[in-house]
Amino acid sequence: MQDRSKQNVKVIDVSHHNTINDWKKIAADGVKAVYIKLTEGKSYVDEDAYKNYLGAKNAGLRVGFYCYSHCTNDYKKEVDFFLSKLGKMKPDLPHCLDLEENKGQSKAKVNAFALAWLGYIQKKTAITPILYTGFSFLSNFTSAVATRYPLWVARYAAGSKRPIGFSNPGDSKLWNRWAMFQFTDEGRIDGIRGNVDVNEMDLAFFKSIDAGVVLTGDANPPSSYQKGDNGVGVKELQQKLMKLGYDLPKYKDDGSYGDETVSAVKALQKKNGLTVDGIAGETTLEKIDELLEDLEKPREEDLPKVTSLGDRYAVQVKAKKDIGVYKYANLSKNFRTLKEGTVFSVYGYTYAAWAVPGGFVQMKDVEPLPVTLITGGLNKEMEVTFRSFLKAEGIDAELNLYAKGNPSAEIMAAGLNLVKVKQFLGKNNWWYETK
């Protein structure tokens, strides 16, 4: 994942464990935003949440909230409890799922819980949430669906350099960028007594969600946005409208629900047979998400046919450089990166791409690793058949014959040539093994 940058935004996260003396001093120390612990599980409210909210808002800081989650809970009860305690408080940042313990659950159950939690709160609020977790916990997330949600990752350096932290958290098998990086839990900020968690928010991500600092109340979930509303939810609504082709030429995604946004919402409602009132209520928001999902699906005619290899004929390749893993076989939607030198298996192919778990890589970006196969009991007639096959397929591989004892042959091949040789041997029921 990417390195830290001086251009990024300084963010802290706090709970009742922190002693806040002066929010104005915190803002003056370069902090632009704060994430506040609101709830834990389905029954605990942080005792300082509301006080921290008012102090941060009055100091001009952008505010977001997180739930420290327990994956053994009912995800709906956690989200509903979180939103009920949020009440009329107005967040400026996306809601956050803090998930850093597996509670003895399998990776599959951790994945299922996280995706259900994140999807449910997104449906209830129309705001794409973010996921917070520690770097060592990232391996628990194995589904590419999780990359729909921005990553807030924590990793600290050891020893005397700990407050400074790593320049980047390291690599993830799923995410190729972090939205926020918590690089120390021993930060020192003016206005806070003792240590505090300090983060960098990626500048591009900050710009994509920033709608300023607002104090106005908002409708209780499920969300309903209308003229006069503002904030991160309105900003995301405007971005979705523009993605669907509804023009907002003057104000674009400024986070304020004005006449321009009302007109765009009315146009969408009219086109899709909804009540034309200019209010982005639950039905309209669901329709927008449905339309976006359809828009992002590649058309069947755009997707080249994938030939499956399965486990039996899977081959190994090595990345020649840092390469992208794409969601679709038409090489659209790059969703993660594999580092140069990474060796991995491929399980299918198109005319120009290898299929890997969760996506595709371009053939030109990887080097197939050669494998030596040994056959046994190869008589003269079989040798002729084997050589004819190699010539017909244009496989430039040397067939080494050994006549002593039980006649055998040895051949080295890689990539699709290796697949073809294996399939030939299998079709003819000739025994072989890997050297």
Side-chain angles (χ1 to χ4, degrees):
M1 291 184 279
Q2 82 272 26
D3 287 337
R4 293 164 55 191
S5 168
K6 291 181 179 179
Q7 293 182 320
N8 288 337
V9 178
K10 190 175 183 179
V11 182
I12 60 172
D13 57 277
V14 299
S15 67
H16 68 278
H17 294 296
N18 300 103
T19 302
I20 312 296
N21 294 326
D22 192 328
W23 281 103
K24 296 287 186 183
K25 287 184 178 179
I26 293 172
D29 201 12
V31 175
K32 299 297 182 186
V34 56
Y35 264 95
I36 296 169
K37 181 177 181 179
L38 179 59
T39 60
E40 179 171 339
K42 56 186 179 180
S43 59
Y44 174 79
V45 181
D46 190 284
E47 61 193 43
D48 287 346
Y50 302 107
K51 179 177 68 174
N52 285 334
Y53 167 77
L54 292 174
K57 282 283 190 176
N58 289 329
L61 297 179
R62 293 157 181 81
V63 171
F65 296 93
Y66 70 90
C67 167
Y68 189 95
S69 184
H70 298 251
C71 63
T72 49
N73 284 338
D74 181 323
Y75 70 90
K76 286 187 176 180
K77 289 183 178 180
E78 279 203 356
V79 171
D80 289 342
F81 181 66
F82 176 86
L83 293 176
S84 71
K85 296 308 174 184
L86 182 68
K88 292 290 184 179
M89 291 191 294
K90 180 66 178 178
D92 310 297
L93 305 173
H95 304 307
C96 174
L97 166 64
D98 180 346
L99 187 57
E100 45 191 297
E101 295 182 87
N102 63 19
K103 298 291 183 179
Q105 302 297 302
S106 67
K107 290 183 179 181
K109 289 187 176 180
V110 171
N111 268 276
F113 175 85
L115 294 177
W117 199 107
L118 293 162
Y120 183 59
I121 199 170
Q122 183 173 16
K123 183 177 180 180
K124 296 281 281 185
T125 65
I127 297 171
T128 301
I130 66 174
L131 169 67
Y132 170 91
T133 195
F135 180 79
S136 61
F137 199 73
L138 275 178
S139 61
N140 286 276
F141 300 97
T142 56
S143 171
V145 178
T147 60
R148 293 177 182 173
Y149 305 101
L151 175 65
W152 175 7
V153 62
R155 192 181 190 190
Y156 318 135
S160 60
K161 294 184 178 180
R162 199 172 177 202
I164 299 173
F166 292 101
S167 60
N168 66 67
D171 293 325
S172 162
K173 291 183 178 180
L174 294 181
W175 288 271
N176 58 13
R177 293 188 67 82
W178 45 264
M180 197 149 67
F181 176 23
Q182 186 181 99
F183 56 89
T184 183
D185 61 349
E186 294 185 349
R188 307 294 291 191
I189 300 292
D190 196 17
I192 299 178
R193 190 175 72 193
N195 296 332
V196 66
D197 296 340
V198 181
N199 312 264
E200 282 192 16
M201 181 179 285
D202 181 73
L203 180 61
F205 175 72
F206 174 76
K207 288 181 177 179
S208 73
I209 56 107
D210 184 39
V213 181
V214 289
L215 290 171
T216 57
D218 213 356
N220 283 326
S223 227
S224 179
Y225 298 109
Q226 57 188 308
K227 187 175 180 179
D229 287 342
N230 47 41
V232 65
V234 175
K235 187 179 182 75
E236 183 164 337
L237 168 65
Q238 292 167 329
Q239 291 169 345
K240 290 178 177 179
L241 288 168
M242 290 190 291
K243 193 170 185 178
L244 289 171
Y246 295 91
D247 198 17
L248 301 172
K250 187 174 181 180
Y251 298 108
K252 300 191 183 301
D253 59 336
D254 64 350
S256 295
Y257 205 120
D259 290 334
E260 192 172 64
T261 303
V262 170
S263 296
V265 170
K266 283 183 175 180
L268 179 139
Q269 290 170 329
K270 183 177 180 179
K271 184 175 180 180
N272 291 279
L274 305 177
T275 301
V276 183
D277 57 9
I279 298 173
E282 188 172 7
T283 302
T284 297
L285 292 171
E286 286 182 355
K287 174 55 70 173
I288 288 173
D289 286 341
E290 178 186 318
L291 292 170
L292 282 171
E293 187 174 343
D294 289 340
L295 182 68
E296 292 175 353
K297 288 179 181 177
R299 295 177 301 175
E300 187 173 343
E301 59 267 27
D302 290 339
L303 295 180
K305 183 179 178 181
V306 177
T307 301
S308 176
L309 297 174
D311 291 333
R312 183 176 182 182
Y313 297 119
V315 298
Q316 283 199 315
V317 298
K318 182 170 68 174
K320 296 179 183 177
K321 57 182 180 179
D322 290 357
I323 62 173
V325 179
Y326 297 84
K327 185 174 181 180
Y328 301 117
N330 62 355
L331 302 181
S332 62
K333 291 202 131 185
N334 181 358
F335 70 92
R336 64 186 175 102
T337 300
L338 291 174
K339 286 290 189 180
E340 179 181 358
T342 301
V343 175
F344 55 99
S345 296
V346 295
Y347 298 91
Y349 64 95
T350 70
Y351 66 91
W354 288 111
V356 298
F360 300 84
V361 297
Q362 296 188 70
M363 285 185 176
K364 67 180 181 64
D365 289 339
V366 301
E367 175 188 354
L369 298 182
V371 172
T372 300
L373 300 178
I374 299 175
T375 67
L378 193 71
N379 58 37
K380 191 63 178 176
E381 183 180 349
M382 293 165 68
E383 177 194 347
V384 171
T385 303
F386 206 160
R387 291 192 184 280
S388 296
F389 157 75
L390 295 176
K391 183 177 180 180
E393 292 294 334
I395 298 176
D396 184 19
E398 185 176 350
L399 183 63
N400 298 312
L401 302 177
Y402 301 96
K404 291 183 179 180
N406 184 24
S408 63
E410 181 180 283
I411 186 170
M412 180 182 290
L416 287 179
N417 285 343
L418 175 62
V419 172
K420 291 176 181 178
V421 170
K422 282 185 173 182
Q423 290 174 337
F424 168 80
L425 295 171
K427 182 180 179 181
N428 287 280
N429 293 317
W430 293 359
W431 172 87
Y432 70 90
E433 66 177 7
T434 302
K435 185 175 179 180

